[in-house]
Amino acid sequence: QVQLVESGGGLVQSGGSLRLSCAASGRIFSINTMRWYRQVHGKERDWVASITSSGSTNYADSAKGRFTISRDNAKNTVYLQMNSLKPEDTAVYYCNADLITITGLVQSYWGKGTLVTVSS
């Protein structure tokens, strides 16, 4: 079994910052790319940022210059530092990871999400 658990969401005022974390645990051999997505109720889930196992990063246009994705491979954890938050960043943020289990299974796993609410 593999679990991804997000944390760090909450209520913040416009212009504020939050740091999200996502820890992967379980029967993991290695983790490749890790990603953050977000979803507003009733809308599609949108990709926010990704980071490879070697640390290469990519960002959606909405996140460039404000969000920073990072990871700690020793802790199987990915982070999303979000600065200059706007009300339109309000969403449930989901962690996603492509990983190889100790049995050799290659799969993509999702966390259950953490809610970020930005008040104006």
Side-chain angles (χ1 to χ4, degrees):
Q1 284 282 36
V2 173
Q3 279 190 319
L4 272 63
V5 179
E6 301 97 336
S7 61
L11 174 63
V12 64
Q13 287 189 333
S14 181
S17 299
L18 280 176
R19 189 192 194 208
L20 306 183
S21 300
C22 171
S25 63
R27 299 163 65 85
I28 299 170
F29 176 73
S30 66
I31 303 177
N32 297 325
T33 301
M34 303 184 83
R35 306 174 185 87
W36 287 98
Y37 286 76
R38 66 186 184 185
Q39 187 171 25
V40 176
H41 181 67
K43 296 188 176 182
E44 291 186 353
R45 190 171 296 185
D46 294 326
W47 168 72
V48 175
S50 59
I51 184 167
T52 68
S53 56
S54 60
S56 296
T57 59
N58 278 292
Y59 297 92
D61 287 344
S62 59
K64 286 179 182 176
R66 299 188 300 127
F67 295 1
T68 301
I69 189 171
S70 61
R71 64 191 283 173
D72 184 333
N73 290 331
K75 296 181 179 180
N76 287 342
T77 299
V78 63
Y79 306 96
L80 187 68
Q81 177 67 44
M82 304 186 295
N83 299 328
S84 302
L85 283 162
K86 307 173 183 179
E88 50 264 44
D89 294 318
T90 295
V92 178
Y93 284 71
Y94 295 91
C95 172
N96 168 261
D98 296 335
L99 59 86
I100 304 174
T101 68
I102 61 173
T103 59
L105 196 61
V106 180
Q107 280 193 334
S108 183
Y109 288 84
W110 290 89
K112 293 184 178 181
T114 185
L115 176 63
V116 172
T117 303
V118 184
S119 63
S120 57

